Amino acid sequence: MHFDLTADQRKQLLENLLPRLEEYYANTRDLRVAPQLDKEKLRELLAGTDLTTGLPPDEALDSVVDNLLKYQVHVPHPMYYGLYNPRTNFPSILADLIAAYFNPQLAAWSHSPYAAEVENYLVREYGARFGYDRDSVDGTFTSGGAEANLTGLLCALNHAYPDYAHLGYRAFDREPVIYSSDQAHHSVVKAARVAGLGLNAVVSIPTDEGQRMSVDSLRDHLLADTTAGNRPVLVIATAGTTGTAAIDQLPAIAELCQKYSCWFHVDAAFGGAAILNEEYRPWLAGIELADSITTDIHKWLSVPMGTGMLLTRHPDMLNKTFNTPAEYMPREGKELSIVDPYTHTIQWSRRFLGLRMYLSLLVFGWEGYADTIRHHVEIGHYLRDRLAERGWQIVNDTPLPVVCFTWPGVDDPGNYARTVCQRVVDSGEAWLSVYPIKGTDHLRAGITNYATTRADIDRLVELLQRLGVPAATDAN
């Protein structure tokens, strides 16, 4: 067949490719962290490749690897201190290879019962660690936090309006209102748009000095909207905001949600993984009261991008929200007490996402994850201490490994942060971001790589001293 390379060809391609991938994996720190950006050069490169008949397979592979090496921010680099993009652990990489070979279809349980039950098992076990009842927790793997947050919103609408699945917006007897903090992920407002509620349905609750949702303000808005005849449908709290890794006051928010019969969703895409280390469980106190939880496996649990999860303590809500009978779907398991995954998710056909997490657990165990999370947290504390020792000012307050900082006394802190960040990125030695706190940009460093060491932190601090400390300052 035209698409089926010979066994010898496949073997040779793997023998050539795997050493290159291993070289990258083992020696990522030898590369520039960020590429030099040139859109026109890239477009000329792609336009100059003849795809009419294709390339010899070995040349095709070399082309892709060469250009990824040259034109990518290398997020697996231990000096990448940016967004929540981790270095992937090796078993999860192998999981993607296995899934690509077997290509299981996770729409119908009967087509891949092992894969479906692996994911069901992970939902039960991970849900139990958040405090849900193992026997009633439900959930689904998602493409990431955005899909999980949208799923949480749709569950909330079906909870508030029992006829929503059939009538859509016509089921609304009162105007639905969603509440999230001004630090919540922007997927919240996107979800409101996708669901047809519109941006005006989302009320942005101000935050306190620690960038946590103001419980007093939320209370006032809930009372005002209820008095005005509107229907509070959903409150989205955050456990580990994108910018400063703040954790909202979950118990107090849960109490308000219960009072107003409002669905309580916690976006714990990043911070949720702290639950896997017993020492850090108190940080997420109250998360067990959430009606649903977003958590991203591809963030702190170090697996390939595109691996999220939505968990809920309501075992019937995903079915109520998504179950759409289809006559053409396989029926081999109809006599069994099973759930077809497509009935519990936005997606229909779906990759075996759970294998990335499961194979990692088979190799490292929950204890291995607890140790890795402790390492991240300790490295975060070390970065704070080293920056403070050298005169930098820490401007966020979180136990999670995200540090926002500035040099005190500069005339224009926002411009200063942007300038220093660009210098660091241009150096190729590290990657930082900036994030606005109370309207002013600050430098931001997140620990996303389990391979980042104290020596790497020392390198970062020395780089900042060289590129960021104002010339007139005696910073030792």
Side-chain angles (χ1 to χ4, degrees):
M1 297 294 293
H2 186 67
F3 275 4
D4 204 6
L5 302 177
T6 68
D8 286 342
Q9 285 177 310
R10 296 194 297 269
K11 180 180 178 181
Q12 188 62 53
L13 288 171
L14 285 171
E15 287 179 351
N16 293 342
L17 176 62
L18 291 179
R20 297 203 66 190
L21 297 180
E22 174 58 24
E23 169 67 20
Y24 174 73
Y25 196 74
N27 299 301
T28 314
R29 67 167 59 246
D30 296 338
L31 300 170
R32 281 181 57 94
V33 182
Q36 297 174 333
L37 303 180
D38 189 335
K39 182 182 71 173
E40 294 307 318
K41 186 174 181 179
L42 270 172
R43 291 187 172 182
E44 289 174 7
L45 170 71
L46 294 172
T49 303
D50 184 5
L51 298 183
T52 305
T53 58
L55 301 174
D58 54 344
E59 291 184 24
L61 288 177
D62 283 341
S63 173
V64 170
V65 173
D66 289 344
N67 287 304
L68 283 173
L69 286 169
K70 189 173 182 180
Y71 299 110
Q72 176 174 309
V73 174
H74 294 293
V75 296
H77 199 293
M79 293 290 285
Y80 173 83
Y81 301 101
L83 309 178
Y84 302 127
N85 301 315
R87 173 182 171 89
T88 51
N89 70 63
F90 196 66
S92 69
I93 294 173
L94 296 179
D96 256 11
L97 181 64
I98 294 169
Y101 264 92
F102 282 88
N103 201 26
Q105 165 59 285
L106 262 72
W109 184 94
S110 62
H111 262 40
S112 192
Y114 172 75
E117 285 305 310
V118 161
E119 294 198 348
N120 289 337
Y121 171 80
L122 292 173
V123 164
R124 291 193 300 271
E125 292 303 309
Y126 205 14
R129 281 163 171 77
F130 282 106
Y132 285 168
D133 184 339
R134 184 180 277 102
D135 294 329
S136 60
V137 62
D138 197 6
T140 180
F141 277 83
T142 67
S143 59
E147 182 189 337
N149 284 339
L150 174 57
T151 299
L153 169 57
L154 294 173
C155 287
L157 288 169
N158 278 281
H159 173 74
Y161 304 102
D163 291 330
Y164 176 70
H166 296 284
L167 299 179
Y169 71 90
R170 290 168 295 179
F172 299 161
D173 57 349
R174 292 175 287 164
E175 286 294 318
V177 187
I178 302 166
Y179 308 85
S180 63
S181 86
D182 59 24
Q183 297 297 303
H185 194 270
H186 290 83
S187 60
V188 173
V189 293
K190 180 182 284 189
R193 293 177 67 176
V194 171
L197 300 181
L199 299 181
N200 291 343
V202 182
V203 174
S204 180
I205 304 297
T207 48
D208 60 22
E209 289 303 311
Q211 292 82 52
R212 296 177 294 267
M213 181 189 289
S214 168
V215 175
D216 288 340
S217 180
L218 175 63
R219 182 184 296 110
D220 292 344
H221 277 283
L222 286 167
L223 177 59
D225 281 322
T226 303
T227 303
N230 297 324
R231 174 67 162 92
V233 167
L234 170 67
V235 175
I236 299 180
T238 309
T241 56
T242 301
T244 65
I247 300 173
D248 289 336
Q249 301 175 67
L250 305 183
I253 296 171
E255 184 177 345
L256 286 175
C257 288
Q258 184 175 19
K259 179 178 179 179
Y260 287 92
S261 300
C262 193
W263 188 275
F264 178 34
H265 178 78
V266 177
D267 182 351
F270 173 59
I275 208 77
L276 298 183
N277 188 303
E278 287 293 327
E279 183 179 348
Y280 309 142
R281 291 184 68 87
W283 301 347
L284 299 175
I287 199 168
E288 71 281 359
L289 303 173
D291 294 291
S292 55
I293 300 169
T294 286
T295 185
D296 271 353
I297 315 304
H298 66 224
K299 287 189 169 70
W300 212 344
L301 300 191
S302 303
V303 305
M305 295 299 296
T307 317
M309 186 185 282
L310 183 285
L311 299 167
T312 177
R313 60 184 175 89
H314 299 277
D316 62 332
M317 192 52 64
L318 288 174
N319 181 71
K320 182 178 179 180
T321 302
F322 296 114
N323 192 356
T324 304
E327 294 301 323
Y328 56 81
M329 292 301 292
R331 300 176 179 275
E332 296 95 322
K334 64 181 179 180
E335 304 301 326
L336 302 174
S337 179
I338 55 93
V339 173
D340 285 323
Y342 81 92
T343 66
H344 273 213
T345 177
I346 292 172
Q347 300 180 52
W348 205 283
S349 301
R350 186 168 61 73
R351 187 179 178 86
F352 186 9
L353 298 175
L355 185 58
R356 299 164 176 176
M357 181 181 183
Y358 186 63
L359 193 53
S360 301
L361 284 167
L362 282 177
V363 175
F364 302 120
W366 295 110
E367 290 183 1
Y369 268 122
D371 289 343
T372 299
I373 287 167
R374 180 182 295 108
H375 170 72
H376 279 87
V377 170
E378 290 175 349
I379 289 293
H381 288 321
Y382 183 72
L383 174 58
R384 289 186 192 92
D385 292 343
R386 292 289 290 124
L387 287 170
E389 288 170 4
R390 302 301 292 271
W392 297 85
Q393 178 184 358
I394 310 302
V395 295
N396 68 321
D397 179 16
T398 179
L400 301 174
V402 174
V403 185
C404 298
F405 58 100
T406 189
W407 189 262
V410 293
D411 292 336
D412 184 344
N415 182 64
Y416 166 79
R418 293 186 293 273
T419 299
V420 173
C421 180
Q422 194 61 54
R423 289 175 184 170
V424 170
V425 172
D426 288 345
S427 75
E429 297 182 47
W431 201 95
L432 294 178
S433 59
V434 295
Y435 186 78
I437 299 176
K438 302 300 181 183
T440 301
D441 282 341
H442 290 79
L443 291 161
R444 177 191 179 280
I447 311 300
T448 63
N449 191 327
Y450 59 82
T452 297
T453 65
R454 294 191 174 207
D456 293 313
I457 297 299
D458 291 339
R459 284 182 60 201
L460 174 63
V461 173
E462 292 307 316
L463 181 64
L464 287 165
Q465 294 296 118
R466 188 169 79 246
L467 300 179
V469 174
T473 302
D474 180 11
N476 299 320

